mmCIF file of all heavy atoms in Angstrom:
data_model
loop_
_atom_site.group_PDB
_atom_site.id
_atom_site.type_symbol
_atom_site.label_atom_id
_atom_site.label_comp_id
_atom_site.label_asym_id
_atom_site.label_seq_id
_atom_site.Cartn_x
_atom_site.Cartn_y
_atom_site.Cartn_z
ATOM 1 N N MET A 1 34.052 -30.002 -102.496
ATOM 2 C CA MET A 1 35.389 -29.800 -102.969
ATOM 3 C C MET A 1 36.221 -31.040 -102.840
ATOM 4 O O MET A 1 36.999 -31.378 -103.714
ATOM 5 C CB MET A 1 36.026 -28.648 -102.159
ATOM 6 C CG MET A 1 37.388 -28.198 -102.693
ATOM 7 S SD MET A 1 37.302 -27.458 -104.271
ATOM 8 C CE MET A 1 37.649 -25.769 -103.900
ATOM 9 N N ALA A 2 36.027 -31.781 -101.764
ATOM 10 C CA ALA A 2 36.803 -33.019 -101.560
ATOM 11 C C ALA A 2 36.474 -34.049 -102.638
ATOM 12 O O ALA A 2 37.349 -34.744 -103.097
ATOM 13 C CB ALA A 2 36.513 -33.618 -100.163
ATOM 14 N N SER A 3 35.211 -34.108 -103.040
ATOM 15 C CA SER A 3 34.845 -35.096 -104.051
ATOM 16 C C SER A 3 35.466 -34.758 -105.386
ATOM 17 O O SER A 3 35.817 -35.629 -106.178
ATOM 18 C CB SER A 3 33.344 -35.245 -104.185
ATOM 19 O OG SER A 3 32.792 -34.044 -104.664
ATOM 20 N N LYS A 4 35.632 -33.478 -105.675
ATOM 21 C CA LYS A 4 36.250 -33.061 -106.934
ATOM 22 C C LYS A 4 37.755 -33.458 -106.939
ATOM 23 O O LYS A 4 38.268 -33.916 -107.922
ATOM 24 C CB LYS A 4 36.110 -31.534 -107.117
ATOM 25 C CG LYS A 4 36.597 -31.068 -108.480
ATOM 26 C CD LYS A 4 36.281 -29.585 -108.686
ATOM 27 C CE LYS A 4 36.730 -29.195 -110.090
ATOM 28 N NZ LYS A 4 36.473 -27.813 -110.350
ATOM 29 N N LYS A 5 38.424 -33.294 -105.774
ATOM 30 C CA LYS A 5 39.812 -33.710 -105.667
ATOM 31 C C LYS A 5 39.952 -35.237 -105.880
ATOM 32 O O LYS A 5 40.837 -35.672 -106.594
ATOM 33 C CB LYS A 5 40.369 -33.391 -104.263
ATOM 34 C CG LYS A 5 40.958 -32.021 -104.160
ATOM 35 C CD LYS A 5 41.612 -31.886 -102.773
ATOM 36 C CE LYS A 5 42.292 -30.586 -102.632
ATOM 37 N NZ LYS A 5 42.937 -30.445 -101.324
ATOM 38 N N ALA A 6 39.064 -35.974 -105.269
ATOM 39 C CA ALA A 6 39.100 -37.441 -105.419
ATOM 40 C C ALA A 6 38.884 -37.843 -106.870
ATOM 41 O O ALA A 6 39.532 -38.737 -107.392
ATOM 42 C CB ALA A 6 38.075 -38.107 -104.499
ATOM 43 N N SER A 7 37.943 -37.144 -107.524
ATOM 44 C CA SER A 7 37.657 -37.456 -108.909
ATOM 45 C C SER A 7 38.887 -37.150 -109.792
ATOM 46 O O SER A 7 39.233 -37.924 -110.652
ATOM 47 C CB SER A 7 36.470 -36.610 -109.394
ATOM 48 O OG SER A 7 36.272 -36.793 -110.757
ATOM 49 N N ASN A 8 39.534 -36.000 -109.525
ATOM 50 C CA ASN A 8 40.746 -35.654 -110.311
ATOM 51 C C ASN A 8 41.841 -36.664 -110.085
ATOM 52 O O ASN A 8 42.565 -37.032 -110.984
ATOM 53 C CB ASN A 8 41.216 -34.240 -109.929
ATOM 54 C CG ASN A 8 40.344 -33.162 -110.515
ATOM 55 O OD1 ASN A 8 39.579 -33.408 -111.456
ATOM 56 N ND2 ASN A 8 40.423 -31.975 -109.963
ATOM 57 N N LYS A 9 41.976 -37.136 -108.834
ATOM 58 C CA LYS A 9 43.018 -38.105 -108.511
ATOM 59 C C LYS A 9 42.743 -39.427 -109.261
ATOM 60 O O LYS A 9 43.663 -40.054 -109.787
ATOM 61 C CB LYS A 9 43.059 -38.326 -107.010
ATOM 62 C CG LYS A 9 44.219 -39.175 -106.547
ATOM 63 C CD LYS A 9 44.293 -39.233 -105.030
ATOM 64 C CE LYS A 9 45.532 -39.995 -104.602
ATOM 65 N NZ LYS A 9 45.627 -40.047 -103.155
ATOM 66 N N ARG A 10 41.474 -39.857 -109.282
ATOM 67 C CA ARG A 10 41.122 -41.080 -109.993
ATOM 68 C C ARG A 10 41.422 -40.944 -111.504
ATOM 69 O O ARG A 10 41.925 -41.846 -112.122
ATOM 70 C CB ARG A 10 39.638 -41.418 -109.799
ATOM 71 C CG ARG A 10 39.361 -42.143 -108.502
ATOM 72 C CD ARG A 10 37.954 -42.720 -108.537
ATOM 73 N NE ARG A 10 36.931 -41.726 -108.721
ATOM 74 C CZ ARG A 10 36.337 -41.061 -107.723
ATOM 75 N NH1 ARG A 10 36.664 -41.264 -106.477
ATOM 76 N NH2 ARG A 10 35.398 -40.149 -107.991
ATOM 77 N N GLN A 11 41.087 -39.754 -112.055
ATOM 78 C CA GLN A 11 41.354 -39.549 -113.487
ATOM 79 C C GLN A 11 42.856 -39.590 -113.779
ATOM 80 O O GLN A 11 43.282 -40.198 -114.752
ATOM 81 C CB GLN A 11 40.782 -38.199 -113.934
ATOM 82 C CG GLN A 11 39.288 -38.218 -114.007
ATOM 83 C CD GLN A 11 38.706 -36.820 -114.322
ATOM 84 O OE1 GLN A 11 39.375 -35.817 -114.143
ATOM 85 N NE2 GLN A 11 37.457 -36.824 -114.762
ATOM 86 N N ARG A 12 43.659 -38.991 -112.903
ATOM 87 C CA ARG A 12 45.090 -39.022 -113.092
ATOM 88 C C ARG A 12 45.613 -40.446 -113.009
ATOM 89 O O ARG A 12 46.483 -40.860 -113.768
ATOM 90 C CB ARG A 12 45.823 -38.136 -112.094
ATOM 91 C CG ARG A 12 45.787 -36.665 -112.439
ATOM 92 C CD ARG A 12 46.778 -35.874 -111.613
ATOM 93 N NE ARG A 12 46.645 -36.080 -110.185
ATOM 94 C CZ ARG A 12 45.879 -35.349 -109.367
ATOM 95 N NH1 ARG A 12 45.145 -34.374 -109.843
ATOM 96 N NH2 ARG A 12 45.846 -35.601 -108.080
#
Side-chain angles (χ1 to χ4, degrees):
M1 188 66 109
S3 65
K4 187 173 182 180
K5 271 186 176 180
S7 175
N8 286 341
K9 189 174 183 178
R10 278 192 301 271
Q11 288 174 341
R12 281 194 306 270

